[in-house]
Amino acid sequence: MSLRNPTQLNLRTGDLVEVRSEQEILATLDEQSSVDSMPFMPEMLEYCGKRFRVEKRADKTCNTITVMESRRIRDAVHLEGLRCDGSAHGGCQAQCFLFWKEAWLKRVEEGEPDSARSPTPSGPAHSSLRCDRQRINELTRRPEPSNDSEIAYRCQATDLLKASEPLPWWDIRQYLRDVWSGNVGVMDLVKVALFRIFQKTLRITAYRAQIRAYNCFQSWRGGTQYPYHWGTLDKTPRETLGLQPGDLVQVKSHEEILATLSTKNKNLGLRFDAEMVPYCGSVRRVRARVERIIDERTGKMITLPRDCLILDGVICRAQYSERRLFCPRSIYPYWREIWLKRVGEDHPQLGTNLSASVEVTQTPK
């Protein structure tokens, strides 16, 4: 059983915090390097003693392992810009948003100078710790049968079901927490509720006419077109652009992307999700090419056989995920090169899309 922080910080979006010292954090960990089954990972050690703002409160997350659902997490947040670099997990390139338990943080008052920080307590003797730095590194691997030579990794993503519990989509308390924490605004909640009502009416009235009316209204207000459309291909095409990090691209229109998708909305096995539709037409920079990631189900490293990219400022906002609304995990969706096109530095959208691509502030309509 893990040692709990005696007080809850009840952190909200924008709050300033300091990551506790390594010794303080080690004192909170159980034998599995966890607090409430959430692992503290070696990639997080470099942030000890540094200050950050809370980007999102992590009261919930999405289940990407078994079924489509939300999961309840307690006393945890995401900090601005802090993603796993995979250095202790075989070079995994998923760049997952790190979970920070409040037991690993302390509040910092606005304007408080460094010299005014309370001194770091020495903590218990090293020998009395349940987990040390060496143990944290050892626990990045799962114990596997001796006849299996392939490494199985352990991280926050693979252990997410252990660190959370099912959260029914209809539990209204989660949406109140979303607003209280600052994760979403009241108008965001209203817009999503109205969209869900609109979706329900599609089952009882003229489907195509309603979709056309919806798209006309969204075009008038500069919003996102109806995101649920399906491809028609049996065999999907491929296009190679040779894009590299830093390259400037424009996401193709939804119609152009649909022309590359199968009836399951996939291109060569990679799914184009409704959460990606708000970014259609926008100009972005390539953040990274993704070649290998950890399979969250098995912990095994998998190699992605074809082009797969992530774009700066382009994240899943869980606005269209019916059973995972407003998940704050901010996963990077993966993009095929055929869904993108190169543009020059003189592109007219350069000053608008890129200046608004900071994940903390940019919200697709």
Side-chain angles (χ1 to χ4, degrees):
M1 182 177 177
S2 63
L3 298 176
R4 295 290 301 275
N5 191 16
T7 59
Q8 294 179 328
L9 298 182
N10 292 320
L11 295 170
R12 303 176 66 184
T13 299
D15 284 348
L16 187 63
V17 297
E18 181 178 315
V19 180
R20 291 184 178 273
S21 69
E22 177 178 339
Q23 194 75 359
E24 287 178 295
I25 290 176
L26 291 176
T28 70
L29 304 180
D30 61 19
E31 294 86 350
Q32 297 300 311
S33 76
S34 301
V35 167
D36 300 332
S37 298
M38 179 66 75
F40 184 86
M41 304 189 300
E43 290 91 344
M44 304 166 75
L45 285 167
E46 66 174 295
Y47 303 116
C48 289
K50 298 179 181 179
R51 293 180 175 185
F52 303 93
R53 291 197 181 275
V54 174
E55 183 163 333
K56 297 285 185 180
R57 184 165 182 84
D59 282 325
K60 61 183 178 183
T61 193
C62 54
N63 181 354
T64 52
I65 299 176
T66 55
V67 298
M68 183 182 291
E69 64 174 356
S70 288
R71 306 280 299 185
R72 177 78 163 103
I73 295 179
R74 301 179 189 278
D75 306 329
V77 297
H78 299 296
L79 301 182
E80 280 188 5
L82 300 194
R83 291 180 177 268
C84 178
D85 64 10
S87 57
H89 291 83
C92 173
Q93 298 172 324
Q95 298 192 32
C96 296
F97 223 176
L98 294 169
F99 289 90
W100 294 87
K101 299 296 286 187
E102 290 186 336
W104 304 333
L105 308 170
K106 52 187 173 185
R107 284 185 181 274
V108 178
E109 295 298 327
E110 295 286 348
E112 179 184 332
D114 290 355
S115 58
R117 295 184 194 176
S118 56
T120 301
S122 59
H126 181 77
S127 59
S128 66
L129 296 175
R130 298 186 180 192
C131 189
D132 57 18
R133 181 184 279 252
Q134 180 180 346
R135 178 69 173 158
I136 291 175
N137 280 282
E138 291 172 351
L139 288 169
T140 59
R141 272 63 168 171
R142 291 180 181 176
E144 292 293 320
S146 57
N147 61 349
D148 191 347
S149 59
E150 191 175 0
I151 297 174
Y153 293 94
R154 172 180 176 263
C155 65
Q156 290 184 340
T158 63
D159 280 18
L160 205 52
L161 298 187
K162 299 177 184 177
S164 61
E165 58 192 39
L167 178 62
W169 66 267
W170 40 261
D171 186 343
I172 195 172
R173 293 173 296 179
Q174 65 180 295
Y175 307 117
L176 297 178
R177 286 191 295 265
D178 289 338
V179 173
W180 170 84
S181 67
N183 281 9
V184 300
V186 174
M187 285 308 300
D188 295 319
L189 198 62
V190 170
K191 289 176 185 177
V192 168
L194 290 175
F195 181 77
R196 290 300 164 193
I197 293 172
F198 170 75
Q199 274 193 302
K200 299 299 182 184
T201 65
L202 292 177
R203 302 176 183 178
I204 57 176
T205 57
Y207 175 89
R208 290 184 177 83
Q210 279 192 281
I211 296 297
R212 285 196 297 269
Y214 177 87
N215 287 340
C216 287
F217 176 72
Q218 288 295 84
S219 295
W220 172 76
R221 64 180 291 269
T224 301
Q225 300 287 293
Y226 188 72
Y228 298 105
H229 292 289
W230 298 87
T232 59
L233 303 180
D234 294 321
K235 185 177 180 179
T236 55
R238 182 182 183 186
E239 182 179 338
T240 301
L241 301 179
L243 294 170
Q244 297 298 322
D247 285 348
L248 199 63
V249 298
Q250 183 174 32
V251 181
K252 290 182 178 179
S253 69
H254 194 190
E255 292 75 15
E256 290 176 297
I257 292 174
L258 284 172
T260 71
L261 302 179
S262 71
T263 54
K264 295 183 179 180
N265 261 18
K266 294 183 178 181
N267 177 276
L268 300 174
L270 184 63
R271 180 178 174 82
F272 183 82
D273 190 78
E275 297 292 342
M276 302 164 75
V277 175
Y279 299 104
C280 287
S282 66
V283 174
R284 306 284 169 171
R285 290 200 186 275
V286 176
R287 181 181 177 93
R289 295 187 70 93
V290 181
E291 298 174 349
R292 56 180 182 175
I293 58 174
I294 292 173
D295 185 336
E296 297 172 5
R297 296 177 178 85
T298 66
K300 306 290 180 67
M301 187 70 71
I302 57 176
T303 300
L304 304 179
R306 300 179 182 88
D307 56 289
C308 184
L309 298 91
I310 55 179
L311 307 178
D312 270 336
V314 176
I315 56 175
C316 173
R317 299 190 179 276
Q319 295 178 331
Y320 299 109
S321 304
E322 186 172 356
R323 298 180 184 275
R324 304 179 294 190
L325 283 175
F326 301 125
C327 167
R329 196 172 172 186
S330 301
I331 295 174
Y332 283 123
Y334 298 148
W335 298 82
R336 290 279 189 236
E337 289 189 331
I338 198 171
W339 300 338
L340 310 170
K341 52 187 175 184
R342 288 182 181 273
V343 296
E345 296 291 337
D346 58 347
H347 194 279
Q349 286 191 34
L350 187 61
T352 54
N353 286 131
L354 293 187
S355 63
S357 67
V358 179
E359 295 173 12
V360 182
T361 58
Q362 171 69 4
T363 302
K365 294 181 182 180

